Amino acid sequence: MSRICHVTGKGPTKGSIVYRRGVAKKAGGIGTHVTKRTKRKFRPNLQRIRVKLPGGQIKRVWVTVKALKAGLVQKV
């Protein structure tokens, strides 16, 4: 099972680490330039918690902390 939020549907997204070289123009240089890009992942803050589902049953699911703070889930 992949780690996706049970409530919001959020999952990992792709991105990159950008390496730059040079001095910014406003600091007196000729500008910064990208020299390298490395792939990375942005992972949501997921917690595995026991949740009371609408049918009344209790189940362990992955939920983002943002959904917990917003009160979208009733924790058991």
Side-chain angles (χ1 to χ4, degrees):
M1 181 181 134
S2 60
R3 295 197 177 187
I4 297 172
C5 179
H6 183 75
V7 180
T8 60
K10 278 189 180 182
T13 55
K14 293 178 185 177
S16 59
I17 300 167
V18 179
Y19 294 92
R20 290 185 173 89
R21 185 176 178 183
V23 180
K25 286 187 177 183
K26 64 182 178 183
I30 59 163
T32 58
H33 304 284
V34 174
T35 58
K36 185 179 178 183
R37 280 192 168 176
T38 309
K39 291 181 180 179
R40 63 160 291 188
K41 274 187 180 178
F42 291 96
R43 294 184 179 94
N45 189 0
L46 292 173
Q47 305 289 317
R48 193 162 185 248
I49 59 161
R50 290 171 61 189
V51 172
K52 194 171 188 180
L53 297 174
Q57 68 226 31
I58 295 169
K59 191 175 180 183
R60 278 195 175 187
V61 292
W62 291 102
V63 179
T64 56
V65 173
K66 196 171 182 179
L68 283 171
K69 285 183 176 180
L72 300 175
V73 181
Q74 186 179 358
K75 200 172 172 183
V76 177

